Amino acid sequence: MKIAIFGKPFDDEAAPAIQALLDDLAARRAEVRIGEAFRTFLDNRLRLPEGTTEFHRGDSLRGVQFVLSIGGDGTLLDTVTYVGSLQIPILGIHTGRLGFLATITPDRIAQAIDALFKGHFTIEERSLIRVDTDPDVFGSLNFGLNEFSVLKRDTSSMIVVHTYIDGEYLNSYWADGLVVATPTGSTGYSLSCGGPVMLPQTNNFIIAPVCPHNLNVRPLVVSDQSVISFEIEGRSSSYMLALDSRSLPVEASVQIAVRREAFNARLVKLNYVNFLSTLRSKLNWGLDRRNPAGIQV
């Protein structure tokens, strides 16, 4: 089996579990490829399987059966950009802080790897958001798993985001910005803007204003078959565009449209992990002393 590993630096306490992972892959004679920067981090700390190779941004991962993302949720968002349209299943191993997307804790790595090799898992299809701009801003990495945001820069005054759905005028948002989130991103930035939580399989986008000056606007759920376009006004001549963890300043004249990407991100789901249990355990969803004590979080 060919397995690629993309990761970020981790604390010393996670090192034994990651070493056990690498030893397990070596014992199973897996062909291992590791992202360049992560391999540099690992080289002086852990023993790598014999024959381990590295990959770089832009290299094709064609032929790889699984990609392991080692870090936090931000690491998994970056991993999606390496996989792209190949749609290789991604297993998120949590060595970060929250671990909402990267759900496998270090103490369950061995169980997760065994499940991969035995086929004891399912695949969750997660929709992606695609951003088209003129002139081009994000290049070939114009897709994301969580959200796209239009934001004012630094301490400049609020901006006005004129928003259209399939060419029809929706609203002009006077705000610090606007977020368009996927169902996966509904538990991210959109949530902090008052947006609803959506189940991952929901075929929708959330449009949520950031600190709106209009008190009569609220987050809106729209079909992900829609094309959402924007025109921006403000006292500043530029503003920020953000796509998951990537952000760039752009001129106010840039034209922007977002839609659902033609391909999905595919996340490995083990039998003991599901979205609802993660919602309760990570976000304390519905935490109430009146709820039955015997129900597993």
Side-chain angles (χ1 to χ4, degrees), residues 134-157:
D134 185 15
D136 185 27
V137 173
F138 293 104
S140 61
L141 300 181
N142 64 335
F143 58 91
L145 178 59
N146 264 8
E147 75 265 318
F148 166 74
S149 307
V150 181
L151 303 166
K152 71 173 189 176
R153 294 191 65 183
D154 305 322
T155 57
S156 62
S157 59

Side-chain angles (χ1 to χ4, degrees), residues 43-295:
D43 269 337
N44 299 323
R45 293 171 175 81
L46 303 179
R47 299 182 310 276
L48 303 183
E50 186 177 350
T52 296
T53 58
E54 63 183 43
F55 64 91
H56 309 77
R57 169 73 71 185
D59 289 352
S60 175
L61 294 178
R62 191 175 301 278
V64 170
Q65 278 81 42
F66 297 99
V67 178
L68 307 184
S69 173
I70 300 177
D73 290 346
T75 307
L76 194 144
L77 295 179
D78 285 345
T79 303
V80 169
T81 66
Y82 279 81
V83 172
S85 59
L86 293 177
Q87 300 188 104
I88 302 168
I90 300 170
L91 177 68
I93 296 174
H94 170 53
T95 59
R97 289 171 293 186
L98 182 62
F100 199 90
L101 295 172
T103 56
I104 305 303
T105 52
D107 60 303
R108 287 191 159 177
I109 290 177
Q111 182 181 354
I113 297 302
D114 192 56
L116 287 188
F117 277 82
K118 291 180 177 178
H120 296 168
F121 61 88
T122 57
I123 297 294
E124 272 194 353
E125 301 282 349
R126 298 292 185 100
S127 61
L128 301 170
I129 190 168
R130 173 189 175 95
V131 182
D132 294 305
T133 60
D134 185 15
D136 185 27
V137 173
F138 293 104
S140 61
L141 300 181
N142 64 335
F143 58 91
L145 178 59
N146 264 8
E147 75 265 318
F148 166 74
S149 307
V150 181
L151 303 166
K152 71 173 189 176
R153 294 191 65 183
D154 305 322
T155 57
S156 62
S157 59
M158 73 179 71
I159 57 178
V160 185
V161 186
H162 305 294
T163 306
Y164 303 81
I165 298 178
D166 295 327
E168 183 177 346
Y169 176 69
L170 169 65
N171 186 37
S172 294
Y173 294 92
W174 295 70
D176 285 355
L178 196 70
V179 176
V180 182
T182 66
T184 300
S186 71
T187 54
Y189 195 4
S190 171
L191 185 66
S192 69
C193 298
V197 173
M198 293 198 296
L199 297 183
Q201 294 76 28
T202 308
N203 297 318
N204 292 303
F205 287 136
I206 301 168
I207 302 175
V210 180
C211 300
H213 197 254
N214 316 75
L215 297 182
N216 59 344
V217 297
R218 295 292 183 268
L220 180 69
V221 177
V222 302
S223 167
D224 66 7
Q225 299 304 303
S226 304
V227 176
I228 307 169
S229 54
F230 310 98
E231 296 175 356
I232 315 299
E233 286 185 40
R235 294 179 181 176
S236 175
S237 61
S238 64
Y239 50 91
M240 297 293 296
L241 298 187
L243 185 55
D244 284 351
S245 57
R246 309 180 298 283
S247 60
L248 292 167
V250 297
E251 296 300 315
S253 59
V254 170
Q255 299 181 36
I256 311 162
V258 301
R259 68 193 74 206
R260 179 170 177 165
E261 182 55 274
F263 53 86
N264 294 334
R266 308 183 76 206
L267 304 186
V268 174
K269 177 179 174 293
L270 302 184
N271 294 333
Y272 57 86
V273 178
N274 65 69
F275 177 79
L276 298 181
S277 64
T278 302
L279 196 62
R280 293 193 300 271
S281 62
K282 300 296 184 179
L283 296 185
N284 293 326
W285 182 265
L287 184 63
D288 192 318
R289 63 185 301 176
R290 296 168 296 181
N291 289 341
I295 294 180

Side-chain angles (χ1 to χ4, degrees), residues 3-7 22 32-40 42 48-49 52-56:
I3 293 181
I5 301 176
F6 179 79
L22 297 171
V32 178
R33 300 182 66 185
I34 301 178
E36 178 188 21
F38 192 47
R39 175 165 184 169
T40 300
L42 295 176
L48 303 183
T52 296
T53 58
E54 63 183 43
F55 64 91
H56 309 77

